[in-house]
């Protein structure tokens, strides 16, 4: 009798779970990529006419160190390199407008209006830029594909995180790939 009650409870819970999950729907466009994904992928990827993944991983590590990154993790056999660097994130225009807002807020507060703000504390102060690089053979095996992703975490003057974002600036990727192309060429020439 206890087994029947136990089975009945299990079946009831199962039916209730199916009923609840059956009511849930996926939001429209849940799996649809954003419009700029293709453009970002074009920025992030380059192909090189070599099959020597290990040589490219070593070049990637060297280039990242040359442009100021510290290697956090590297796995040559997997074709993975992770690096990071700290940098200043202060923006003169952002600080100027924040100071102007604070001065206006103080002036308004002097006349009795409750408008004092602390905009300067919300200005960007420093950032941690992270680089993740994947190196692998192309599907046809004739070339090596390199995909670089740069992301940053920005802290404000109060020490709080202001934003976490993927860097989509073309110059950042161009600078990296220009240096990588030179490094691969020099290594191929044994210079």
């Amino acid at each position: 009798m206890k087994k029947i009650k136990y089975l009945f409870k299990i079946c009831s819970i199962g039916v209730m779970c199916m009923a609840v999950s059956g009511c849930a729907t996926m939001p429209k466009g849940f799996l649809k990529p954003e419009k700029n994904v293709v453009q970002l992928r074009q920025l992030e990827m380059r192909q090189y006419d070599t099959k020597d993944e290990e040589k490219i991983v070593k070049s990637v590590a060297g280039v990242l160190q040359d442009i100021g990154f510290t290697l956090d993790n590297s796995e040559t056999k997997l074709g993975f390199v992770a690096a990071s660097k700290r940098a200043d994130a202060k923006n003169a225009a952002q600080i100027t407008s924040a100071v102007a807002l604070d001065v206006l807020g103080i002036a308004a507060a002097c006349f009795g209006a409750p408008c004092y703000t602390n905009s300067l504390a919300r200005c960007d102060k420093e950032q941690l830029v992270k680089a993740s690089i994947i190196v692998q053979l192309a599907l046809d095996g004739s070339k090596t594909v390199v995909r670089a992703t740069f992301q940053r975490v920005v802290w404000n003057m109060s020490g709080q995180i202001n934003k976490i974002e993927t860097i989509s600036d073309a110059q950042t990727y161009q600078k990296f790939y220009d240096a990588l192309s030179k490094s691969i060429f020099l290594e191929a020439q044994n210079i």
Side-chain angles (χ1 to χ4, degrees):
M1 190 66 173
K2 285 184 179 181
K3 285 184 178 181
I4 293 174
K5 284 184 177 180
Y6 179 74
L7 275 174
F8 181 73
K9 284 181 182 178
I10 295 294
C11 288
S12 299
I13 290 172
V15 168
M16 288 175 37
C17 288
M18 287 191 298
V20 169
S21 66
C23 295
T25 60
M26 297 290 275
K28 283 187 174 181
F30 177 68
L31 295 176
K32 185 178 177 184
E34 294 180 23
K35 290 180 180 178
N36 64 355
V37 169
V38 175
Q39 294 169 338
L40 186 60
R41 189 181 320 150
Q42 287 176 340
L43 280 176
E44 294 175 348
M45 293 179 70
R46 296 286 189 280
Q47 291 187 358
Y48 294 95
D49 292 328
T50 179
K51 296 176 185 176
D52 193 349
E53 293 176 74
E54 189 174 323
K55 188 181 284 184
I56 292 195
V57 169
K58 289 177 182 174
S59 294
V60 164
V63 166
L64 286 171
Q65 289 175 325
D66 290 346
I67 58 176
F69 282 85
T70 302
L71 294 181
D72 298 328
N73 198 351
S74 176
E75 188 61 49
T76 305
K77 289 182 181 178
L78 295 176
F80 174 72
V81 179
S84 62
K85 72 175 179 180
R86 291 204 171 267
D88 188 17
K90 292 176 189 154
N91 181 329
Q94 186 186 33
I95 291 173
T96 303
S97 62
V99 168
L101 269 174
D102 285 347
V103 168
L104 288 173
I106 291 170
C110 289
F111 291 106
C115 296
Y116 179 71
T117 63
N118 191 9
S119 301
L120 189 58
R122 287 176 279 189
C123 289
D124 296 341
K125 181 182 178 187
E126 67 176 348
Q127 62 184 334
L128 177 68
V129 180
K130 294 182 172 189
S132 299
I133 316 294
I134 301 289
V135 177
Q136 63 184 14
L137 280 178
L139 291 177
D140 63 1
S142 64
K143 297 179 179 182
T144 301
V145 177
V146 177
R147 184 168 187 169
T149 305
F150 293 95
Q151 297 173 320
R152 70 183 192 147
V153 180
V154 180
W155 286 270
N156 64 21
M157 300 286 190
S158 298
Q160 299 170 329
I161 293 176
N162 251 8
K163 56 187 150 192
I164 299 172
E165 62 186 5
T166 298
I167 297 173
S168 58
D169 175 37
Q171 285 184 329
T172 302
Y173 291 93
Q174 191 63 44
K175 180 180 173 183
F176 170 74
Y177 281 115
D178 286 348
L180 181 60
S181 296
K182 287 178 188 173
S183 175
I184 291 170
F185 174 77
L186 293 175
E187 232 178 85
Q189 303 301 318
N190 291 326
I191 298 174

